[in-house]
Each structure stands twice: as structure tokens, then as C-alpha cells.
Amino acid sequence: MATVDGRANISNLSRSQQGFKINPVITFKANKQDESGSVILYPVNSVDFNAMYDNWFLTAGSDGVMSFWDYKARNKIKSFNYALNPITCASVSPNGSMVGYASGNDWHVGAEGIGKWPNRIGVHLITEQ
């Protein structure tokens, strides 16, 4: 699950007699920028898991950062920064070897963002490192 305040959450869903129960595993601030002692939180636009590795997932957001996380170890594996160009969508290929993404205006600043960021589509290979 992702939110507009820069947080991502991984939870287990279990069935109980009362219905379904959500058991949070980890919640953290995924897309944030520290500027002059204050923290600016950006919307998380995309969350995806890698089918080949059950312990990692990615987040991508309006701050132009796509990060890979190891939620079992509770740390960030690697980040790619696209110079505040919002990442609108990111997804891992079914075989887990590539990640594709799109960037451009995601409307997090409203109409003021029209024409501010170039539209772009990219693909990265995923390696063991």
C-alpha cells in the first residue's frame, strides 16, 4: 500500500472469524526530501514486487526517486534519482529481470506542473548487485 504522504506499507492479510485482519509488517517514509532541516513528503505513485525475490519491492514517487527495498532486512537496497522528474508508474517484468518506468507530470503540484517535466519511458536491467 502507498499513500500521498510519502509512506509505504507492507502488511500480511489473514482471515479470522470476524473477517479479514491486516497485520502490518513495516511502514516507512519512502519518498521524502530533506531540505534545510525540514522534510518534504511526496506521493508514492507506484509500488511493485519482484517475483524472483520475495523480500524486495520498489517504490517510485513524485520526488523523482525510484527505490528498491528489502522489507525483511528493513533497509533500502538502491535508489535511482531522476532530478525531481516525477515517476508516474514503475513495474518489474514477470521474470524479474527488468524494471520499466514512466515519468512526467503526475499532477502533485496541480496545473502548475503542465509542461514542467518531460515525458519519458525507460527500462533498467535488474542484476544481483
Side-chain angles (χ1 to χ4, degrees):
M1 173 174 61
T3 65
V4 295
D5 67 348
R7 297 178 194 272
N9 175 281
I10 302 295
S11 298
N12 288 325
L13 184 65
S14 61
R15 183 174 278 195
S16 68
Q17 291 179 346
Q18 294 81 20
F20 289 98
K21 181 178 179 183
I22 297 174
N23 303 308
V25 174
I26 184 174
T27 299
F28 57 94
K29 293 179 183 171
N31 293 82
K32 65 179 182 172
Q33 299 286 327
D34 295 321
E35 294 180 9
S36 304
S38 63
V39 176
I40 300 172
L41 300 174
Y42 291 87
V44 178
N45 295 330
S46 194
V47 175
D48 200 17
F49 291 84
N50 188 330
M52 300 303 293
Y53 305 98
D54 66 348
N55 63 322
W56 82 259
F57 68 104
L58 71 83
T59 60
S62 296
D63 61 347
V65 176
M66 179 169 43
S67 297
F68 300 95
W69 304 89
D70 182 336
Y71 74 90
K72 289 182 181 176
R74 297 178 181 252
N75 66 2
K76 188 184 300 186
I77 299 169
K78 184 171 182 87
S79 289
F80 293 100
N81 191 330
Y82 297 96
L84 293 175
N85 190 7
I87 301 172
T88 57
C89 184
S91 184
V92 179
S93 65
N95 69 0
S97 66
M98 296 181 287
V99 61
Y101 68 94
S103 62
N105 185 18
D106 67 351
W107 292 91
H108 79 279
V109 295
E112 298 165 8
I114 295 175
K116 186 175 181 179
W117 299 287
N119 296 324
R120 180 174 161 185
I121 296 175
V123 175
H124 291 291
L125 290 176
I126 298 173
T127 63
E128 287 290 325
Q129 292 82 18

